Amino acid sequence: MPIKYVRFNYFEPQLVPADQLLRAELMEDNEDVDNLRDIPHYRWDMAPMLDYLMTNHEFTTDFALGDEYAEIEPRSYRYDERGDTYDFQLSKLRESNIPSKKRFHTIKEDILLDQDEFIGEFVSILYDNHLGAVALQSNLYGLSVKQTEIFLTNVRADFLAAIGEEEGDTLMHVKLAPLVDTLQLERAAQADYYKKIRIKGSDVMGTALLTGDNLLSEASEMLDRVNGVNFDITLSLGRVERTASLDNDAVRQVVEMFEELPVRAKPKIEITAMQNEEAQTETINLLEPRMTDRISVNVAPRTTIAHEHLTDEFREQAFNHRRNDIMRVLRPVQG
């Protein structure tokens, strides 16, 4: 049976003032992560809303997101009392770019949809009520993180209206703040095999980078020679054997220098590496090393992965082993 790899990324669900979030995102330098970190934010306890949705099946969650729609998949809510976790599935419904059916040696057939029918794409969510953390499935065709934030903001607003609670003078927006795990910097420095390194920076960082003899200083010198403003350098391997690697010492020098630079001078660096011969290839963003896990699931041809099966596999293969890491970067909501 074919194996499918599924990635889950970890977040802290937060509530942030909508007007301040909008201003920060519209700023010209909105790529500076400190802009968003400076906004006041509050941990969002999702449990009251999820408890309500699990018992009030008449409550609808469908919302328009541009030219697409989204809803929480009906009856997908589950609560695991032993682990104090919830899980549910988000559906994205689209009516454009509809694929066709095809048989060998025959003309393709259009898939004809009724007015109330859509193509569905799905992502699963697990919420840990004790830790106050969310694990969100990554799916290229499902809702993006940004779309998920907008959707949850709308569902929360309707939930508050349904129970007769007022938002207050300040409208709050749901923000999924990535969990940043600085221990991944150590993983990047200790990997056995390096497959790719990408460095992005600007002339503002030039002075800080012009030290030593390594990839960062060479990039800065080139920027200065050509009177450039930004640089974006990618070094990678071609089609080579699994254990081939870029020069280990050169890549590790970059990691060491990166750690010594002041925050404002740090370029964006992504390193794609394998910890050992048995490990899967993973990409680590040194500037914001986000916590993430990838699991494997057996999927029969012509079938989709059931939400329940996927989240059960995720708990067993990854989440239950991640709790200590999550507790290290997040303060538990409950005592």
Side-chain angles (χ1 to χ4, degrees), residues 51-106:
D51 287 336
Y52 180 86
L53 297 181
M54 289 176 70
T55 56
N56 291 270
H57 303 306
E58 74 283 356
F59 185 92
T60 57
T61 61
D62 51 297
F63 289 98
L65 296 174
D67 60 353
E68 299 172 333
Y69 301 88
E71 71 170 356
I72 298 177
E73 187 66 12
R75 308 299 174 94
S76 68
Y77 310 100
R78 294 195 305 170
Y79 175 67
D80 176 40
E81 185 174 0
R82 184 175 59 178
D84 195 12
T85 59
Y86 297 80
D87 62 73
F88 57 98
Q89 189 176 54
L90 296 183
S91 307
K92 183 175 83 171
L93 299 83
R94 60 181 174 88
E95 55 187 355
S96 59
N97 299 320
I98 306 301
S100 301
K101 293 192 298 183
K102 184 74 172 73
R103 290 186 177 91
F104 287 116
H105 316 301
T106 63

Side-chain angles (χ1 to χ4, degrees), residues 10-279:
Y10 294 86
F11 302 87
E12 179 188 26
Q14 298 176 349
L15 296 175
V16 300
D19 56 342
Q20 295 189 44
L21 178 64
L22 179 62
R23 281 199 297 270
E25 291 181 338
L26 290 177
M27 290 176 65
E28 291 183 1
D29 59 341
N30 63 346
E31 290 186 0
D32 186 346
V33 294
D34 286 334
N35 285 338
L36 296 179
R37 289 178 182 170
D38 291 339
I39 300 175
H41 57 270
Y42 312 92
R43 185 86 63 85
W44 178 32
D45 180 5
M46 297 177 64
M49 186 183 81
L50 294 176
D51 287 336
Y52 180 86
L53 297 181
M54 289 176 70
T55 56
N56 291 270
H57 303 306
E58 74 283 356
F59 185 92
T60 57
T61 61
D62 51 297
F63 289 98
L65 296 174
D67 60 353
E68 299 172 333
Y69 301 88
E71 71 170 356
I72 298 177
E73 187 66 12
R75 308 299 174 94
S76 68
Y77 310 100
R78 294 195 305 170
Y79 175 67
D80 176 40
E81 185 174 0
R82 184 175 59 178
D84 195 12
T85 59
Y86 297 80
D87 62 73
F88 57 98
Q89 189 176 54
L90 296 183
S91 307
K92 183 175 83 171
L93 299 83
R94 60 181 174 88
E95 55 187 355
S96 59
N97 299 320
I98 306 301
S100 301
K101 293 192 298 183
K102 184 74 172 73
R103 290 186 177 91
F104 287 116
H105 316 301
T106 63
I107 299 174
K108 66 182 180 180
E109 297 179 55
D110 291 337
I111 297 178
L112 301 178
L113 301 176
D114 291 338
Q115 282 297 109
D116 61 347
E117 290 182 319
F118 301 84
I119 295 296
E121 310 285 0
F122 308 95
V123 294
S124 292
I125 293 183
L126 184 145
Y127 171 65
D128 189 305
N129 187 44
H130 175 66
L131 299 176
V134 159
L136 175 64
Q137 178 192 351
S138 176
N139 181 355
L140 178 63
Y141 305 103
L143 293 179
S144 66
V145 174
K146 187 70 174 177
Q147 287 177 316
T148 302
E149 292 174 343
I150 296 171
F151 174 76
L152 291 175
T153 298
N154 287 321
V155 174
R156 176 179 174 273
D158 279 5
F159 159 68
L160 292 178
I163 63 174
E165 285 194 13
E166 301 233 350
E167 179 75 276
D169 295 335
T170 304
L171 293 176
M172 305 301 284
H173 184 91
V174 173
K175 182 70 180 172
L176 297 178
L179 295 190
V180 175
D181 185 5
T182 55
L183 285 186
Q184 289 203 55
L185 297 180
E186 294 182 20
R187 288 174 59 81
Q190 295 171 0
D192 289 341
Y193 308 101
Y194 296 103
K195 302 300 182 180
K196 182 170 72 173
I197 179 169
R198 184 181 185 188
I199 307 171
K200 296 175 64 177
S202 68
D203 56 350
V204 176
M205 306 168 179
T207 303
L209 300 180
L210 281 171
T211 57
D213 181 19
N214 55 55
L215 290 174
L216 289 182
S217 58
E218 290 176 11
S220 185
E221 288 175 359
M222 181 183 299
L223 188 71
D224 184 58
R225 286 200 303 270
V226 300
N227 296 319
V229 177
N230 299 296
F231 62 86
D232 186 343
I233 300 172
T234 299
L235 303 174
S236 63
L237 298 171
R239 296 177 63 87
V240 293
E241 61 184 19
R242 178 174 170 79
T243 54
S245 174
L246 297 172
D247 184 272
N248 287 23
D249 291 338
V251 177
R252 287 171 183 152
Q253 273 187 335
V254 171
V255 178
E256 293 172 4
M257 183 178 178
F258 176 88
E259 292 187 81
E260 295 172 358
L261 290 171
V263 174
R264 294 289 181 180
K266 289 183 184 292
K268 180 179 179 180
I269 300 177
E270 291 182 343
I271 292 178
T272 302
M274 287 195 325
Q275 293 301 309
N276 51 60
E277 290 186 29
E278 306 300 324

